[in-house]
Amino acid sequence: MGLVGSLQVVVLVALTSTATGLDIPLEVEQPPTIITYTSGPMVALPFDNKITIRCEARGNPPPEYRWTKDGEDFVPPYVTTDYPDGTFVLHNKGLIAFKGKYRCYASNKLGTAMTEEIELRVPSMPKFPKEFNFPVVVKEGEPIILECNPPEGMAPRQIYWMSSDLEHIEQDERVSMSTDGNLYFSNALQNDSRQDYCCFAHFFKIRTIVQKADMAVVVKSLKPGNESADAGNATQAPPARIPSMLLPSGVQTEKVLLRGENLQLECIPQGYPTPTVKWMKMGDKLPLRTQMNNFGKLLFISSIHESDGGKYMCKAQNSAGEVVHYFNVIVDDPPKWETEPPHSQLTVIGTDVHIKCSVSGKPLPDITWRRNGDVIIDDPGSNKQVFDDTLVLLNARAQDSAVYQCEASNPHGSILANINIMVMNMAPRILTRDFQEYAVVQGEDIVMNCSVFSSPPPNISWAKDETLEIVKAERFLAVDGDLKILSAEKNDRGKYLCVASNTEGNSSITAVLDVKDSTKIVYAPQDLQIISGTTAQLMCQAEVDKSLLGAFEVVWRKDGEEIPLSSEENSRYFMDDGMLQIMSVNLSDQGRYTCIARTILDEDNATALLTVLDVPDAPKNVEILELKSQRNVCLSWVPGSDHNSSVTEFIVEYEESQWEPGRWKELKKVAGNQETAEVALQGHLNYQFRVYAVNVVGPGPPSEPTERYKTPPAAPDKNPENIRIRGHLPHQLDISWEPLLPIEHNAPGLEYKVSYRKLGVEDVWKEHLVQRHSFVVSNTSTFIPFEIKIQSRNSHGWGPDPKVATGYSGEDVPTAAPRDIAVEVINTTLLRVSWTPAPPATVRGHLGGYVVHWLRKRSWLEPNRILDDRKMLFFPGKRTLAIVPGLEPFSEYILTVNVLNKKGNGPNSDPVTFNTPEGAPDPVPILTASNAQKDSILLVWAPPLKTNGILTGYLLQHHLVNETTLEAVVSQETNITGADTTQWQLRGLEEGSLYRFHLRACTRAGCGPPLAQESRTPVTAAYLSPTPAVAPVQSRDGNWLVTEAVNASRSFHVIDGLKPGTVYTVRLMAKRLVDNASIFEDVIQTRDKAKGVLRSNFLTQGWFIGTMCAVALLTLVALMACFVRRNQGGKYAGTPPPSSTQRQDMVSMEKVKERENLHSDAESQGMKDDTFCEFSDSEEKPLKGGSLRSLPGDEALGDSVSRGSLDDYGNVGREFNEDGSFIGEYSGFTHRGSVSEPSAPRPVKA
């Protein structure tokens, strides 16, 4: 039941007993109480360095100590500081002087406590006395007693009777050793005579064996008439003797033992013949625990009870008579408390105090009473009265407070109890600290202490908020004056008042309670399966009250034991932020892992099962069982542990000692649910087997190998495989095969029978026996088929019938060439070739294919220049047609074809000469628009790099472009007939308009692809102030370079840093912040260092450049008036037109080519690389790929042809030699890449 607001809880606890068991806090004055002491007896061993006798007591004031020895005061020689209080130490030297019984007394002003007697035993080193033993002389049939009389010493002790050669004296019904160590002979025989009977005593604890002096026994034989005689004379059997007891003596023996001890009753008789001994219990049966030892002479009962007491009888009898002996067994008890020792008591003045000392024992113990260690004398006038086992203090007074001792003793020992009696009246004294703070987590129980000492006992009450109004509350309980709150709630926080009162007064303290949030695991570890050798991670996250974070910790336990977390390098356990990592997991890590999140107040835990997967253990008990024959056996085994991962298969391995001893090989695999495997074995081998298991983790260790198993020899089970038939020489047949493995021989003397004959003709088998695994047949015809058989044989017979293989004798190079070579020119670069195959007989081997060779003899552009451009292409297989790509237009070629086999190429066919027609030229590499006037623009270009025929001129198309839709509005064509023309002034244009230009180079076969350019005609504008100029330069790679400003006072401008033999476009531009317009533009080519030949005539001359610069400077002012702010040059794709803000901030070259690719028409767009080798039906259209897009170089085109066009035309494939190399390849095909359109230029600051 909760408490709300100012609800109060009051719990009343009343201590109403007037005399109670006493547990007085040490803060209160009290007499001494013995809390620990050495219990006797103590035995000092010879190798003990020291003996420590302890005595420790508590009391207030602290007690002082004194000792007595054998009833006399004793001052210890050395009091140690290693132990508190009255403990002292005795050193080994001279320890014998300290043997005796000790008592410890602890005293203060309120009384004296004492201990029981502590006996110290100091045994001396055992040894036999020096003595001379006279020989024992007896007549045959008389008894013998050899006394050992072993010395006293530390128990346990073991007695042996041996000879001087340390051979045990044989014991039986006639000869036996008693418990006292003596050796008894019931009757003497002749062979008992010897000179070296030795008694040995072994003391285990002190590791000592002592030996008594040798004793001699002489047994005299009897003459007829019972007279003794020497051993050599005739003897007769001893006369019969009536049994009598050698041990014990007399008729009856009394045996007193303590309950729990072992009972041993012994009867050793003498007589002839040797008597037998029987046991019985008078009036009862022998206990079931009874054992008969020492050949029936010793009765043994362990841990006797009172019911085992009584009269026992032993009877010894032989043919001459019998004798009996009685044992009266008495079972006693030492003194012991019937329930528990009497308790100390606290009582008020004027009451009667009863101290009862309830003890038992047999005989009944005597009780001695002491006060502070002194014996109480029974005085009728005293208030201390003894009634049997009870001491009564009548009308007790304060001076009766003391330590009283009750000691009970009988012949078997004594027990002692100290009883503290405190007689006083005292107001309550609360021993618990005031304002003690308590903390508990919500939902748990809490006990708030209120420890009180008073006399009489106090009434204790609890209240909350310092009020005493009683409220019933089921969750609040009083436990020995403390307040226990069950399932604490948040509103239980606050201050609690404990009030203690009795007739002498009252006292109170305050306790402060805080209720905190419980600790809770929010992310518990999950069950985990992990492979051995990897790292396991177990996560554990908990929520905890913020005020307890300082005392919060996460602890991990495995199977209930805490895991030691160490920072040492060799530790496999690491914990970080609640995560437990186990490095290199092994099978010992498997188990239940418990995460414990705990504070000083509470804890929460969660458990996960970690399962370690490991490779299976080795199978056990691998056995061999023969089946139908000695070469077919069954192996069986017992699987080992699979370590939590089911076995998927068992692998049977074998090892044989003849060919590869020590090397284990796989023989058979069986499923993981099988425990047997049937295996077929080879002959004439000495096997042993082993098995290992495999699971998902991997293979486990192998089993122990079996015993050796030898198989008998036999004929081969198989013939050679992988027969290879080749002809390395034209008139030779080479036969080779894969030989049988050594273990497949099955017997000694292995050899092979090689049989062969020609295929397809009537021929007899020719046979040869060889021991190697190859055979050569010489003087064969070239490339004829054979049938071959190879059969194995050993000393026990032939292998199975062999299979027939076929093959050919050696090849030779072909002797004839293909005939009727015909060519058909498909277009300017593609050719169809056909032929009639050479006769098969002339191939003289396996047909590999055909090789087409062609030679470009001359280009009709330079007919007088003889070329030597040779190429070839291989076409595998049987064929009569091929497509040859990669020809150059307008050229003369010579072509031959030959046949190919594995020996090489045959002779070339008759050469065929053919010409490729003219083709359309490549696009012009550069087209620029400059010198834009209001009605005209100057176009400048460079001739195509490859004309592919005789250049007839150019086709120029210009289109007026609608700047909104970017579509052509008006289109016109201009045929430029001059082949050497590289510039054209286009007139009749509209002022302030955008034009798109397409320029194509043309031959008689047609015009090539166009190159596009755009430019704008200017608008007449008002006066603009003259500005300096710059001269940008663009190379073939499309990159613009800008020089420093042109000096207007000079008539020329020098441009440095150009590459030799390179085509450049040069522009002269006005340097203004509002625009970037071209004043002059032309194309030049720098001189080639090696050739010294100029690409163009006057375009590269220095005087021309200087003149152009001078003209530009003279006309600069006049031309400025022709440019307006909207005036813009040609635009190229890649950069959008700059905004007005950008034009004011930065003058750049980005707009120079911004529309070049954007508005080029579809005919000028490059095709994809993977269609490069396709061809057109019209010679005016080049193959796809002859576009404006530049290739990476010659290699790109060559690769494209070899991988694409050869498969598309003529089913060209690849042929490989036996070593994997390419037999023939298309070689020597080159291509010059066309010049691409300029890429977007980099911005240039003016």
Side-chain angles (χ1 to χ4, degrees):
M1 181 181 298
L3 298 179
V4 182
S6 60
L7 294 181
Q8 300 84 20
V9 175
V10 176
V11 181
L12 299 178
V13 180
L15 303 180
T16 57
S17 174
T18 57
T20 64
L22 196 58
D23 184 13
I24 304 174
L26 198 57
E27 295 88 343
V28 178
E29 283 192 351
Q30 56 190 286
T33 301
I34 303 290
I35 57 177
T36 182
Y37 67 97
T38 301
S39 60
M42 296 181 63
V43 180
L45 299 177
F47 42 78
D48 289 336
N49 292 326
K50 60 183 180 180
I51 296 295
T52 301
I53 302 179
R54 300 190 60 188
C55 179
E56 182 180 354
R58 53 172 287 188
N60 187 2
E64 296 179 352
Y65 298 88
R66 66 183 179 88
W67 287 87
T68 63
K69 175 178 177 290
D70 296 329
E72 303 292 334
D73 287 339
F74 172 76
V75 178
Y78 179 71
V79 177
T80 179
T81 58
D82 295 337
Y83 297 96
D85 309 324
T87 299
F88 68 91
V89 174
L90 299 175
H91 293 281
N92 189 286
K93 187 176 181 180
L95 199 59
I96 191 68
F98 295 99
K99 180 169 64 173
K101 296 181 179 180
Y102 295 82
R103 276 192 196 270
C104 172
Y105 296 84
S107 305
N108 66 11
K109 67 180 183 179
L110 299 180
T112 299
M114 59 185 288
T115 66
E116 296 177 352
E117 286 189 331
I118 306 168
E119 183 180 3
L120 175 61
R121 299 174 184 173
V122 184
S124 59
M125 285 298 293
K127 60 182 178 179
F128 284 99
K130 292 182 179 181
E131 59 184 352
F132 174 77
N133 294 318
F134 291 96
V136 177
V137 181
V138 295
K139 295 179 182 180
E140 193 171 5
E142 294 180 347
I144 305 173
I145 301 176
L146 298 181
E147 295 183 356
C148 179
N149 297 325
E152 294 297 325
M154 177 66 62
R157 180 187 66 186
Q158 181 70 43
I159 307 298
Y160 306 95
W161 280 92
M162 307 174 74
S163 69
S164 58
D165 295 331
L166 300 182
E167 293 181 358
H168 285 277
I169 302 299
E170 186 176 351
Q171 299 185 32
D172 52 21
E173 291 83 354
R174 186 180 66 87
V175 180
S176 60
M177 182 182 70
S178 67
T179 56
D180 61 8
N182 296 337
L183 187 64
Y184 292 88
F185 295 75
S186 294
N187 50 76
L189 299 178
Q190 282 286 306
N191 56 8
D192 294 331
S193 297
R194 62 187 305 155
Q195 304 296 316
D196 58 350
Y197 285 94
C198 298
C199 178
F200 293 84
H202 183 192
F203 299 88
F204 294 97
K205 280 193 174 181
I206 60 176
R207 300 187 289 274
T208 300
I209 298 177
V210 292
Q211 175 186 357
K212 188 173 183 176
D214 295 354
M215 288 179 282
V217 172
V218 178
V219 179
K220 292 185 176 184
S221 63
L222 297 176
K223 290 183 179 181
N226 291 335
E227 296 180 6
S228 61
D230 295 334
N233 299 329
T235 62
Q236 63 180 16
R241 295 172 62 92
I242 299 175
S244 63
M245 290 295 174
L246 296 177
L247 185 74
S249 60
V251 177
Q252 181 170 323
T253 303
E254 185 176 83
K255 195 82 171 180
V256 179
L257 293 95
L258 296 180
R259 185 195 308 267
E261 291 183 339
N262 297 329
L263 171 64
Q264 294 186 96
L265 302 179
E266 193 170 27
C267 281
I268 299 180
Q270 65 92 12
Y272 186 86
T274 303
T276 59
V277 179
K278 293 182 179 179
W279 293 87
M280 66 182 65
K281 184 178 182 183
M282 307 303 290
D284 200 356
K285 294 181 179 180
L286 290 173
L288 295 177
R289 307 188 317 279
T290 305
Q291 301 176 22
M292 299 300 175
N293 299 332
N294 198 15
F295 309 102
K297 304 171 188 178
L298 178 66
L299 180 144
F300 178 86
I301 302 176
S302 62
S303 301
I304 63 170
H305 308 149
E306 189 172 357
S307 60
D308 296 325
K311 184 169 287 190
Y312 292 79
M313 181 188 77
C314 74
K315 179 191 293 185
Q317 62 183 4
N318 63 8
S319 57
E322 64 181 30
V323 65
V324 298
H325 189 89
Y326 297 96
F327 295 90
N328 187 21
V329 177
I330 300 173
V331 180
D332 282 355
D333 279 321
K336 64 179 181 181
W337 305 112
E338 287 189 349
T339 54
E340 55 184 351
H343 294 288
S344 297
Q345 298 180 36
L346 171 66
T347 186
V348 296
I349 297 172
T351 60
D352 293 340
V353 178
H354 296 258
I355 308 173
K356 186 175 181 61
C357 193
S358 299
V359 294
S360 63
K362 186 178 180 183
L364 189 65
D366 295 326
I367 298 177
T368 302
W369 291 94
R370 291 184 176 89
R371 181 179 185 275
N372 293 332
D374 298 327
V375 176
I376 298 176
I377 299 174
D378 192 4
D379 182 3
S382 171
N383 70 333
K384 302 176 182 64
Q385 301 295 320
V386 177
F387 300 96
D388 296 328
D389 60 353
T390 303
L391 174 64
V392 179
L393 304 180
L394 301 174
N395 192 20
R397 298 160 295 176
Q399 54 267 33
D400 290 326
S401 297
V403 181
Y404 292 82
Q405 287 87 26
C406 164
E407 184 172 23
S409 59
N410 70 6
H412 305 297
S414 64
I415 54 176
L416 181 142
N418 288 282
I419 307 102
N420 290 358
I421 301 298
M422 298 184 66
V423 183
M424 64 174 65
N425 288 4
M426 180 178 178
R429 178 181 177 184
I430 298 180
L431 304 176
T432 304
R433 182 169 62 88
D434 198 8
F435 285 94
Q436 175 73 46
E437 295 182 353
Y438 297 89
V440 65
V441 295
Q442 188 173 358
E444 295 295 326
D445 300 342
I446 180 68
V447 175
M448 291 185 288
N449 304 116
C450 189
S451 178
V452 181
F453 179 78
S454 70
S455 183
N459 291 325
I460 300 176
S461 62
W462 283 88
K464 188 178 180 184
D465 297 332
E466 300 181 356
T467 63
L468 296 178
E469 184 176 347
I470 300 175
V471 177
K472 294 182 179 180
E474 296 179 355
R475 294 189 302 108
F476 295 81
L477 305 176
V479 181
D480 294 334
D482 298 333
L483 177 63
K484 183 175 184 179
I485 303 177
L486 305 178
S487 300
E489 300 174 357
K490 285 286 188 178
N491 53 11
D492 292 336
R493 297 175 179 173
K495 295 179 181 180
Y496 291 80
L497 186 67
C498 171
V499 179
S501 61
N502 66 5
T503 57
E504 305 297 320
N506 59 65
S507 182
S508 67
I509 60 166
T510 299
V512 181
L513 177 63
D514 187 11
V515 182
K516 300 180 181 294
D517 292 328
S518 61
T519 303
K520 182 179 181 181
I521 292 178
V522 295
Y523 188 92
Q526 306 296 314
D527 291 348
L528 180 64
Q529 286 189 340
I530 191 152
I531 294 176
S532 176
T534 59
T535 299
Q537 294 183 339
L538 296 172
M539 177 63 73
C540 182
Q541 298 289 343
E543 291 180 349
V544 64
D545 191 286
K546 293 181 179 180
S547 63
L548 299 176
L549 283 174
F552 173 71
E553 64 176 349
V554 176
V555 176
W556 287 88
R557 290 180 179 171
K558 176 183 179 293
D559 297 331
E561 295 185 5
E562 188 167 328
I563 298 175
L565 298 176
S566 173
S567 59
E568 298 179 2
E569 294 183 359
N570 58 356
S571 175
R572 296 191 303 111
Y573 298 97
F574 297 94
M575 192 179 74
D576 183 23
D577 194 23
M579 176 187 289
L580 175 66
Q581 295 192 65
I582 309 173
M583 316 300 291
S584 300
V585 172
N586 55 49
L587 291 173
S588 66
D589 295 317
Q590 181 169 290
R592 304 191 69 84
Y593 286 79
T594 302
C595 164
I596 302 174
R598 67 189 182 193
T599 64
I600 57 175
L601 298 182
D602 72 331
E603 65 180 41
D604 192 13
N605 65 76
T607 300
L609 177 63
L610 177 65
T611 304
V612 179
L613 309 181
D614 204 350
V615 297
D617 283 344
K620 302 175 182 177
N621 303 332
V622 182
E623 297 179 351
I624 304 173
L625 177 65
E626 290 186 5
L627 296 177
K628 298 178 182 179
S629 69
Q630 290 180 296
R631 293 179 56 198
N632 289 274
V633 301
C634 178
L635 296 175
S636 65
W637 58 85
V638 177
S641 172
D642 62 6
H643 295 310
N644 306 307
S645 177
S646 299
V647 175
T648 57
E649 61 182 0
F650 288 99
I651 310 296
V652 179
E653 292 185 317
Y654 74 93
E655 181 265 351
E656 48 83 24
S657 59
Q658 181 176 355
W659 299 103
E660 293 182 282
R663 181 178 179 186
W664 290 90
K665 298 179 182 178
E666 183 178 311
L667 180 60
K668 191 172 185 179
K669 293 181 180 179
V670 297
N673 58 357
Q674 290 186 223
E675 298 178 13
T676 60
E678 296 183 7
V679 293
L681 306 178
Q682 301 293 334
H684 196 54
L685 291 177
N686 196 7
Y687 283 96
Q688 62 177 349
F689 305 94
R690 69 183 187 186
V691 184
Y692 66 88
V694 180
N695 60 12
V696 295
V697 182
S703 67
E704 291 295 325
T706 63
E707 296 292 331
R708 288 284 178 182
Y709 180 82
K710 190 168 185 178
T711 56
D717 295 324
K718 59 185 294 188
N719 291 313
E721 298 175 346
N722 296 331
I723 300 174
R724 294 180 294 276
I725 305 168
R726 299 178 183 175
H728 296 295
L729 297 176
H731 302 290
Q732 183 173 295
L733 179 66
D734 297 283
I735 306 170
S736 62
W737 57 90
E738 186 176 306
L740 298 186
L741 297 175
I743 65 171
E744 296 172 339
H745 290 186
N746 282 357
L750 182 74
E751 55 186 357
Y752 305 99
K753 182 176 73 173
V754 181
S755 305
Y756 62 91
R757 69 180 180 183
K758 293 180 182 178
L759 178 64
V761 297
E762 293 184 2
D763 194 9
V764 297
W765 288 98
K766 298 179 179 60
E767 298 177 347
H768 296 271
L769 283 173
V770 297
Q771 292 183 345
R772 61 186 183 275
H773 56 276
S774 63
F775 184 75
V776 177
V777 182
S778 302
N779 300 321
T780 65
S781 300
T782 302
F783 199 65
I784 60 173
F786 280 86
E787 289 182 306
I788 294 94
K789 296 188 299 183
I790 301 176
Q791 186 177 17
S792 56
R793 186 184 79 166
N794 63 20
S795 60
H796 274 66
W798 292 93
D801 291 337
K803 296 180 181 179
V804 178
T806 59
Y808 287 82
S809 58
E811 299 185 21
D812 205 348
V813 294
T815 59
R819 297 173 286 111
D820 305 327
I821 309 300
V823 299
E824 178 185 355
V825 179
I826 298 175
N827 59 29
T828 58
T829 61
L830 206 62
L831 179 71
R832 180 182 290 110
V833 184
S834 61
W835 58 84
T836 300
T842 65
V843 177
R844 302 204 297 178
H846 295 285
L847 176 65
Y850 294 87
V851 182
V852 178
H853 303 263
W854 66 93
L855 166 68
R856 185 184 180 206
K857 188 174 181 180
R858 62 171 59 86
S859 170
W860 293 115
L861 294 176
E862 299 176 291
N864 295 328
R865 182 184 174 192
I866 302 302
L867 304 175
D868 191 18
D869 187 5
R870 298 178 184 271
K871 298 178 183 177
M872 58 171 281
L873 199 59
F874 170 69
F875 299 91
K878 186 177 180 180
R879 60 198 307 146
T880 59
L881 179 68
I883 300 296
V884 177
L887 303 179
E888 295 289 339
F890 205 44
S891 300
E892 180 182 0
Y893 282 90
I894 297 176
L895 180 142
T896 61
V897 182
N898 61 25
V899 68
L900 176 71
N901 66 14
K902 291 184 178 180
K903 278 295 182 180
N905 293 330
N908 288 335
S909 67
D910 295 334
V912 176
T913 302
F914 66 92
N915 293 306
T916 55
E918 284 189 75
D922 287 357
V924 296
I926 295 177
L927 173 63
T928 60
S930 62
N931 293 338
Q933 308 296 326
K934 66 179 181 178
D935 59 353
S936 65
I937 291 179
L938 177 64
L939 298 176
V940 181
W941 63 88
L945 299 179
K946 294 179 67 174
T947 60
N948 297 329
I950 299 174
L951 196 64
T952 60
Y954 297 89
L955 175 62
L956 175 63
Q957 297 173 316
H958 65 276
H959 312 277
L960 178 62
V961 178
N962 184 325
E963 294 192 54
T964 303
T965 64
L966 299 179
E967 295 179 352
V969 178
V970 178
S971 300
Q972 296 184 25
E973 290 187 357
T974 303
N975 286 312
I976 303 172
T977 57
D980 294 334
T981 304
T982 58
Q983 63 180 10
W984 191 261
Q985 187 75 33
L986 194 61
R987 302 182 185 279
L989 305 180
E990 295 184 9
E991 180 180 1
S993 299
L994 175 65
Y995 282 88
R996 182 183 301 138
F997 307 100
H998 289 150
L999 182 65
R1000 305 169 186 258
C1002 301
T1003 64
R1004 288 176 294 184
C1007 297
L1011 182 63
Q1013 178 64 281
E1014 288 186 357
S1015 185
R1016 181 187 299 278
T1017 56
V1019 177
T1020 304
Y1023 171 76
L1024 293 175
S1025 60
T1027 61
V1030 295
V1033 180
Q1034 183 189 33
S1035 66
R1036 282 178 53 188
D1037 61 8
N1039 295 322
W1040 286 92
L1041 307 174
V1042 180
T1043 68
E1044 69 276 4
V1046 175
N1047 189 345
S1049 64
R1050 297 167 61 181
S1051 60
F1052 65 92
H1053 183 73
V1054 178
I1055 302 175
D1056 295 326
L1058 304 182
K1059 296 180 180 180
T1062 305
V1063 178
Y1064 288 93
T1065 300
V1066 181
R1067 285 179 177 173
L1068 185 65
M1069 312 201 58
K1071 183 180 179 183
R1072 296 185 299 149
L1073 294 177
V1074 296
D1075 208 345
N1076 212 8
S1078 174
I1079 300 172
F1080 164 79
E1081 182 171 332
D1082 206 345
V1083 178
I1084 65 170
Q1085 182 173 5
T1086 56
R1087 185 187 303 272
D1088 193 321
K1089 289 182 179 181
K1091 297 182 179 180
V1093 179
L1094 295 178
R1095 181 63 182 165
S1096 60
N1097 46 12
F1098 65 89
L1099 295 179
T1100 59
Q1101 301 300 318
W1103 62 268
F1104 177 77
I1105 297 175
T1107 302
M1108 291 299 100
C1109 292
V1111 172
L1113 291 173
L1114 292 174
T1115 60
L1116 180 60
V1117 175
L1119 290 176
M1120 290 295 114
C1122 298
F1123 294 94
V1124 294
R1125 191 173 204 174
R1126 293 171 56 88
N1127 224 9
Q1128 298 181 1
K1131 297 181 180 179
Y1132 288 76
T1135 307
S1139 64
S1140 59
T1141 304
Q1142 291 171 325
R1143 287 196 301 268
Q1144 293 175 3
D1145 295 342
M1146 178 179 67
V1147 177
S1148 70
M1149 296 298 292
E1150 292 184 3
K1151 61 185 178 179
V1152 177
K1153 292 289 185 177
E1154 66 180 328
R1155 296 188 184 180
E1156 180 175 279
N1157 293 327
L1158 182 63
H1159 306 309
S1160 59
D1161 72 42
E1163 291 181 359
S1164 66
Q1165 297 302 310
M1167 304 302 175
K1168 299 291 184 182
D1169 289 343
D1170 57 2
T1171 63
F1172 184 85
C1173 292
E1174 297 181 6
F1175 62 92
S1176 170
D1177 292 337
S1178 172
E1179 292 183 356
E1180 295 183 359
K1181 295 182 180 180
L1183 293 176
K1184 292 182 181 180
S1187 67
L1188 299 181
R1189 180 173 299 182
S1190 62
L1191 296 173
D1194 298 340
E1195 294 179 1
L1197 183 56
D1199 289 345
S1200 180
V1201 170
S1202 64
R1203 289 191 296 267
S1205 65
L1206 301 186
D1207 292 335
D1208 293 338
Y1209 307 109
N1211 298 322
V1212 177
R1214 291 181 176 177
E1215 182 72 16
F1216 291 84
N1217 280 322
E1218 291 178 355
D1219 61 356
S1221 60
F1222 192 61
I1223 292 177
E1225 61 181 7
Y1226 171 65
S1227 61
F1229 189 82
T1230 60
H1231 177 77
R1232 292 182 63 189
S1234 61
V1235 178
S1236 65
E1237 298 179 7
S1239 60
R1242 59 180 174 83
V1244 180
K1245 296 286 184 178

